[in-house]
Amino acid sequence: MAKVRVSTLAKEFGMTSKELMGHLAEMKIPAKSASSALEDAYVAMVRKQLASVIEARAQEVEAAKQAEEEAAAAEEAARAAEAERERIAAEKAREEERRQFAAAQAAEEAARAEAEAKKKAEQERLAREKEEAAREAQRRAVPASDSGSRFRSLLDQIAAQETVLKEKKDAEDKAKAERGNRRGGNSDRRGGRRNDRNASESRPHSHRTNASNNVAAGMDFPNPDKQGKGKKRKGGHNSEEDHYSRMAREAEEYSREKVLEEARAAVEEATRESTGRRKKRKEKREREAARAQEERKIEEALAQGVNPEELDAIKVSQGVTVQELAEALDVPANDIIKRLFLLGTPLTMTQSMSDDLVELVADDLGRQIRIITPEEENTFSFYDDPADLKPRAPVVTVMGHVDHGKTSLLDAIRHTGVAAGEAGGITQAIGASQVMINDRKITFIDTPGHATFTAMRARGAKVTDIVILIVAADDGVMPQTVESINHAKAAGVPIVVAVNKIDKPGANPDRVRQELTEYGVIPEEWGGQNMFVNISAKQKIGIDDLLETVLLQADVLELKANPDTFASGNVLEAKLDKGRGSVATVLVTRGTLHVGDTLVAGLTYGRVRAMLDPKGRAVTEAGPSDAVEILGLQSVPNAGDEFRVFEDEREARALADERSLKARIEEQSRVKHVTLENLFETIADAEVKELNLIIKADVQGSIEALQDSLDKMDQSEVRINTIHSAVGAINETDVVLADASNAIIIGFGVRPDGKARSAAEREGVEIRCYDVIYKCLEELDAARIGMLKPTEVEVSTGTATVLDTFKVPKVGIAAGVRVEEGEIAATDSVRLVRDGIVVFNGKIASMRHYKDEAKSLKSGSEGGIGLENFQDIKPGDQIEGYRIDQVARTE
């Protein structure tokens, strides 16, 4: 039998290692520590000697357990009694609330009925007043005296009444004139008396006629017969007649003006009411037209699968030129150039415009515009009617530090589903896997390096719904844990924390919670927003609780999608299979993907020839949150590319070709990343030189030492920036950051992983790894010195004396010289010195040794030298040769 350690035996006996060591010392059994191994004979002896102790310990444990169970039962009974009391109190409170609510509702109903009665009485009173006003207006209206023909409006009646009054007045004036003539022709007294009697007889009749008209108009006047009694009638007939006529005329005028005024008021009121009704009808028609237009807009957006707000917006690419913007807005380019000039930024037709300038010009022209970034050009935007959305399964990504249990958790989840008897969807597929919990499906993205997640976040897509952040309870928060938190927060995805390895010695889940609070991940029990679950992936502890927590978080998010439309989603992984060709694992986020659909994914397109589910079985369709393998693409897409189904294959091919052309153009014009070798050539023209670094090391002390040495370097001309430093291996995220910031990655004691190396080769990012800090500093210092402007040094090559001058065809005056020292080359610069004064400084036009062309003249030799654009050479002049060398700076 194998030996047994003391610690294992103590655990078997239910005592501590220290206590067992005391018993072994009493029994004279040799054992140095708890890790010492005991022979089989010693183990039998210990079991025999400690049998009574073990039995007593077991009885104590059993008694303690029984006491604990009794205490728990008593506590449970107390809790049940307390819960019953609380339930009774709550029931009474609810009954009182219902009674108060019923009383308040009855009072409210009584008040509402009283208000309705008052309102009805007021309406009846207003109706009666309106009816009485209408009858009064009808009573006061003057009827027409013609043949009874009906008038079409009040204005016609008013004009007819005015005509009648005018005719009546003319007739009365004519009758008065005839009576005056008859009175003037009769001069005798008898005749005068007869005329007076006739006049007196005719006056009451005339007055009665006028009085009748006045009464018809609603006016009362005094009786002229009563007023005429007692008056003297000698020669006063005209004044009395004028008095009556004036009274009648005033009555007629008063009656007519009043009637006309009331009629005009009635016409104006009717016109105002008619105008108000027409205005309301017009507004109603406008509202109905706007509503119909909005419905047509939504229908068109649904047909195109875009947002309705984007239909009216004009889309332009980022960095659009003035001419391209003018064509997009359909305006003359001069209008845009004029506005740019007024804004203080004059540009030509082919110059690019900034986003702010494009928005200002479009706003000034009253046009709605949307600027498309290069990332958005390869993405699609969709719009779904809320009525078409249906619940879908959550998509979960497991993230965390290396060796914290990501793979073990996924294996435990799959095995847990099998043990629970849930059928279907529980086998791992390439890039994704699915499990069924409580008849609900959960899709897990199996990307250990999180390449897909990073690509989705970079393109603005939100493929993952929930992130499970796994942290080891015995290790705590590590660098990749922080990186995972930053990825999830940048994508706006909720985090569910799984504290793993709680069964290991030294596990401290509370310490993990405390450390995560420093990064904004706070447990719900501490007042935060993140749910924490303690698990053990190896022992399969807490797995069901974790999955239920994920489903609870999915219920809070209310995940929905439209399955009844063309499919779209993202590529999780892709590869080139020798037998099947291009194989891509895609996640459908919207619509339903069918076999035979034509789709575009990134720069490639193709027709879906076959689909495989996570179990490897052939399927004909895949809905939202389903991950499937598809075959039939023309080439291999990139992880993270967005795909969309098109009805027309020609349209899909045209879009893929257009994207491929843009990608080739961008590749040709892509700026090469900086390296330590090309650092000087890359930024030699810059006024302020910078060297960006990303430092990764095995321990924090190495980073601090390297950073301190870099800070001590002279940075007056070259500034060294450390944009990121962390402990851990060089990963793909570091390469993405270096690509964006044009930096060099320095690794001290660490190496890049496979994906980081591939990404660095693809993006042209330089990674330098060192094991000795001094070698790293030497290379960085050499690169920094290479970035400095080199020192120009003048090197003297030789001296020659002019012996004589002579003419040379096509050259002019040449000097016959003898080289006194050094060697003058034909490529050197020269100075002509006469009496200690430099009279020429330039290049050599020609050099000959006797009649042959010469490349140089050595010391003691003679030859001819012609100077470039200079003829004034005299015997005795000195020619000094020199060259300028650029010497690299060494501080």
Side-chain angles (χ1 to χ4, degrees):
M1 181 179 290
K3 297 181 179 180
V4 180
R5 293 184 183 274
V6 174
S7 59
T8 305
L9 198 60
K11 187 181 296 185
E12 179 184 347
F13 293 162
M15 60 179 63
T16 63
S17 299
K18 185 176 181 181
E19 186 177 358
L20 181 59
M21 288 291 294
H23 289 295
L24 294 178
E26 292 176 358
M27 290 184 287
K28 307 298 183 181
I29 296 177
K32 295 181 179 180
S33 64
S35 60
S36 300
L38 300 179
E39 297 292 341
D40 186 21
Y42 287 137
V43 172
M45 183 185 301
V46 170
R47 286 197 175 100
K48 183 177 180 180
Q49 293 291 336
L50 298 181
S52 59
V53 177
I54 295 171
E55 185 176 357
R57 180 66 58 85
Q59 292 177 357
E60 292 178 0
V61 171
E62 184 67 25
K65 184 176 180 181
Q66 186 175 0
E68 184 178 355
E69 290 177 354
E70 292 176 356
E75 185 179 355
E76 182 67 24
R79 280 201 300 268
E82 182 65 23
E84 181 65 20
R85 286 194 297 272
E86 291 179 356
R87 185 188 65 79
I88 294 174
E91 185 66 27
K92 291 181 179 180
R94 286 194 294 270
E95 184 66 27
E96 180 64 21
E97 289 178 358
R98 284 195 293 269
R99 187 186 62 79
Q100 294 178 358
F101 178 75
Q105 191 172 10
E108 185 179 354
E109 285 292 335
R112 189 182 298 111
E114 184 179 356
E116 288 291 337
K118 290 182 179 180
K119 183 177 179 181
K120 185 175 181 181
E122 182 66 19
Q123 291 176 352
E124 291 177 355
R125 185 183 63 79
L126 293 175
R128 286 196 301 271
E129 291 180 355
K130 187 174 181 181
E131 186 177 356
E132 291 176 359
R135 285 200 299 268
E136 182 67 19
Q138 185 177 3
R139 185 180 63 82
R140 292 184 178 182
V142 179
S145 59
D146 56 358
S147 60
S149 62
R150 303 177 62 182
F151 296 97
R152 291 175 298 176
S153 65
L154 288 174
L155 293 177
D156 295 338
Q157 295 179 11
I158 293 169
Q161 186 63 26
E162 289 179 351
T163 304
V164 172
L165 294 175
K166 185 176 181 182
E167 292 176 354
K168 188 180 293 183
K169 184 177 180 182
D170 293 340
E172 291 179 354
D173 292 341
K174 186 176 180 181
K176 290 178 182 178
E178 291 178 354
R179 286 196 298 271
N181 293 331
R182 286 198 298 270
R183 284 196 302 270
N186 194 355
S187 58
D188 59 327
R189 184 177 180 181
R190 182 177 180 181
R193 285 196 301 268
R194 188 168 55 250
N195 289 335
D196 290 341
R197 189 170 54 250
N198 293 333
S200 64
E201 291 176 356
S202 62
R203 278 197 300 271
H205 176 75
S206 175
H207 179 68
R208 282 194 299 269
T209 304
N210 294 331
S212 63
N213 294 331
N214 293 333
V215 172
M219 300 297 297
D220 294 332
F221 297 98
N223 193 345
D225 293 338
K226 295 180 181 179
Q227 291 180 357
K229 290 183 179 180
K231 287 187 178 182
K232 297 180 179 180
R233 298 186 179 183
K234 47 180 181 179
H237 307 289
N238 292 334
S239 61
E240 185 177 355
E241 186 176 1
D242 293 340
H243 176 71
Y244 289 131
S245 300
R246 186 170 60 254
M247 290 177 62
R249 186 172 63 257
E250 290 176 356
E252 290 176 0
E253 291 176 356
Y254 178 80
S255 177
R256 182 180 61 194
E257 292 298 331
K258 187 174 182 181
V259 171
L260 292 176
E261 183 179 357
E262 292 178 353
R264 291 193 188 97
V267 171
E268 183 179 357
E269 179 67 21
T271 305
R272 184 164 55 252
E273 292 179 358
S274 176
T275 304
R277 287 193 298 270
R278 286 197 299 271
K279 183 178 181 181
K280 291 180 180 178
R281 287 196 296 269
K282 183 178 179 181
E283 293 176 353
K284 183 178 179 181
R285 287 195 299 269
E286 291 177 352
R287 288 195 301 268
E288 291 177 352
R291 190 182 302 111
Q293 184 178 1
E294 186 69 20
E295 292 176 355
R296 287 194 299 270
K297 184 177 179 181
I298 293 176
E299 291 177 359
E300 183 179 356
L302 289 174
Q304 298 182 10
V306 298
N307 199 318
E309 286 75 8
E310 297 181 1
L311 290 177
D312 300 332
I314 300 173
K315 298 180 182 180
V316 295
S317 301
Q318 198 173 31
V320 64
T321 63
V322 176
Q323 184 175 2
E324 292 172 348
L325 182 62
E327 294 175 355
L329 296 177
D330 195 16
V331 297
N334 291 333
D335 291 351
I336 298 179
I337 294 176
K338 179 176 65 176
R339 285 172 169 81
L340 292 174
F341 183 80
L342 295 175
L343 290 173
T345 311
L347 297 176
T348 61
M349 297 277 287
T350 57
Q351 283 183 296
S352 298
M353 300 174 61
S354 64
D355 296 347
D356 295 336
L357 283 178
V358 172
E359 292 177 355
L360 286 173
V361 171
D363 184 64
D364 189 41
L365 292 172
R367 308 293 290 276
Q368 185 179 359
I369 201 165
R370 182 169 179 263
I371 300 174
I372 306 298
T373 61
E375 291 79 10
E376 292 176 340
E377 289 184 355
N378 291 343
T379 59
F380 303 98
S381 58
F382 306 103
Y383 175 78
D384 291 314
D385 192 343
D388 298 333
L389 300 180
K390 298 179 181 178
R392 64 173 177 86
V395 180
V396 182
T397 296
V398 181
M399 305 179 72
H401 192 68
V402 176
D403 198 28
H404 275 202
K406 296 187 295 294
T407 305
S408 299
L409 174 61
L410 290 173
D411 291 340
I413 289 173
R414 285 187 283 270
H415 292 313
T416 301
V418 172
E422 302 292 346
I426 315 175
T427 57
Q428 183 179 8
I430 299 176
S433 58
Q434 292 178 338
V435 297
M436 296 292 293
I437 302 297
N438 299 330
D439 296 331
R440 296 180 63 180
K441 182 168 59 178
I442 303 177
T443 301
F444 288 91
I445 297 180
D446 303 335
T447 51
H450 310 305
T452 303
F453 193 86
T454 304
M456 298 306 133
R457 184 174 62 83
R459 289 170 172 79
K462 186 179 174 182
V463 173
T464 299
D465 301 314
I466 301 171
V467 167
I468 295 180
L469 178 65
I470 186 166
V471 186
D474 61 339
D475 204 5
V477 176
M478 300 299 287
Q480 287 188 7
T481 308
V482 179
E483 177 187 336
S484 302
I485 294 173
N486 295 333
H487 279 301
K489 288 185 176 180
V493 181
I495 300 174
V496 175
V497 181
V499 183
N500 193 23
K501 302 182 181 180
I502 60 173
D503 58 319
K504 294 186 65 175
N508 190 352
D510 292 335
R511 180 171 65 90
V512 173
R513 287 170 168 80
Q514 181 65 35
E515 292 177 353
L516 287 176
T517 56
E518 300 177 3
Y519 303 97
V521 181
I522 304 173
E524 284 186 339
E525 55 267 24
W526 292 3
Q529 300 293 331
N530 300 98
M531 290 184 282
F532 280 64
V533 181
N534 295 335
I535 66 169
S536 173
K538 292 292 185 182
Q539 303 297 330
K540 297 180 177 59
I541 300 173
I543 304 300
D544 292 337
D545 295 338
L546 177 61
L547 295 177
E548 290 177 1
T549 303
V550 170
L551 292 177
L552 179 61
Q553 183 67 58
D555 293 337
V556 172
L557 296 176
E558 296 182 354
L559 303 174
K560 294 182 179 180
N562 181 12
D564 303 323
T565 183
F566 55 86
S568 62
N570 296 86
V571 178
L572 297 180
E573 287 185 0
K575 63 181 180 179
L576 186 61
D577 191 273
K578 184 177 295 186
R580 298 186 297 172
S582 176
V583 180
T585 302
V586 299
L587 178 68
V588 182
T589 58
R590 175 181 180 270
T592 302
L593 182 64
H594 301 85
V595 174
D597 287 344
T598 300
L599 57 85
V600 174
L603 305 180
T604 184
Y605 78 99
R607 183 183 294 274
V608 180
R609 293 190 287 106
M611 284 196 301
L612 303 177
D613 66 356
K615 293 189 68 175
R617 298 176 303 189
V619 293
T620 58
E621 63 180 23
S625 300
D626 285 342
V628 292
E629 282 187 344
I630 61 173
L631 285 70
L633 296 178
Q634 299 295 324
S635 59
V636 181
N638 296 323
D641 284 345
E642 187 176 359
F643 76 87
R644 176 191 171 180
V645 171
F646 285 82
E647 295 182 359
D648 190 357
E649 185 175 356
R650 290 176 296 180
E651 185 179 356
R653 184 188 299 110
L655 178 59
D657 294 343
E658 180 182 355
R659 288 181 175 180
S660 299
L661 178 60
K662 288 184 178 180
R664 288 195 297 269
I665 294 174
E666 290 177 0
E667 182 68 24
Q668 294 173 359
S669 61
R670 179 180 296 176
V671 178
K672 294 182 179 180
H673 286 287
V674 64
T675 63
L676 291 181
E677 286 76 12
N678 68 357
L679 198 55
F680 173 73
E681 292 82 1
T682 302
I683 55 177
D685 297 333
E687 295 181 0
V688 179
K689 302 176 180 64
E690 294 183 348
L691 175 59
N692 295 329
L693 299 178
I694 295 176
I695 301 176
K696 299 297 288 288
D698 52 352
V699 292
Q700 187 66 32
S702 300
I703 296 177
E704 295 176 357
L706 186 59
Q707 186 64 52
D708 183 63
S709 300
L710 294 175
D711 294 338
K712 291 179 180 179
M713 290 184 179
D714 182 16
Q715 301 190 23
S716 59
E717 296 185 58
V718 179
R719 185 166 62 248
I720 300 177
N721 296 329
T722 303
I723 61 176
H724 177 65
S725 62
V727 176
I730 300 171
N731 51 36
E732 190 177 5
T733 305
D734 300 325
V735 177
V736 173
L737 180 58
D739 179 29
S741 56
N742 199 18
I744 298 174
I745 300 176
I746 302 296
F748 186 79
V750 295
R751 304 290 298 176
D753 55 22
K755 291 188 177 181
R757 283 194 297 268
S758 300
E761 293 175 359
R762 183 174 63 253
E763 302 296 341
V765 175
E766 184 179 21
I767 299 177
R768 292 287 183 118
C769 297
Y770 304 94
D771 294 327
V772 181
I773 191 171
Y774 301 107
K775 186 176 181 181
C776 174
L777 294 175
E778 286 176 1
E779 291 195 6
L780 290 176
D781 193 48
R784 183 185 64 83
I785 294 173
M787 293 172 62
L788 301 176
K789 292 182 178 179
T791 303
E792 292 184 351
V793 179
E794 179 181 310
V795 180
S796 179
T797 57
T799 304
T801 302
V802 178
L803 302 178
D804 199 359
T805 59
F806 51 89
K807 289 185 178 181
V808 177
K810 298 182 181 180
V811 175
I813 302 298
V817 300
R818 181 176 64 245
V819 180
E820 303 292 343
E821 60 181 8
E823 181 180 1
I824 301 176
T827 57
D828 290 347
S829 300
V830 295
R831 296 188 188 93
L832 183 65
V833 182
R834 182 180 300 160
D835 298 330
I837 299 174
V838 178
V839 296
F840 171 77
N841 190 352
K843 296 289 185 181
I844 296 176
S846 64
M847 178 179 287
R848 289 181 179 272
H849 183 63
Y850 294 105
K851 293 184 179 181
D852 300 329
E853 290 284 344
K855 293 183 178 180
S856 65
L857 295 175
K858 297 183 179 180
S859 176
S861 61
E862 295 182 354
I865 296 178
L867 302 181
E868 191 176 80
N869 299 326
F870 189 78
Q871 306 292 323
D872 186 16
I873 305 175
K874 296 180 180 180
D877 293 342
Q878 297 289 325
I879 296 178
E880 298 178 356
Y882 67 93
R883 68 174 183 270
I884 302 297
D885 291 344
Q886 292 185 346
V887 181
R889 295 271 292 272
T890 58
E891 296 297 338

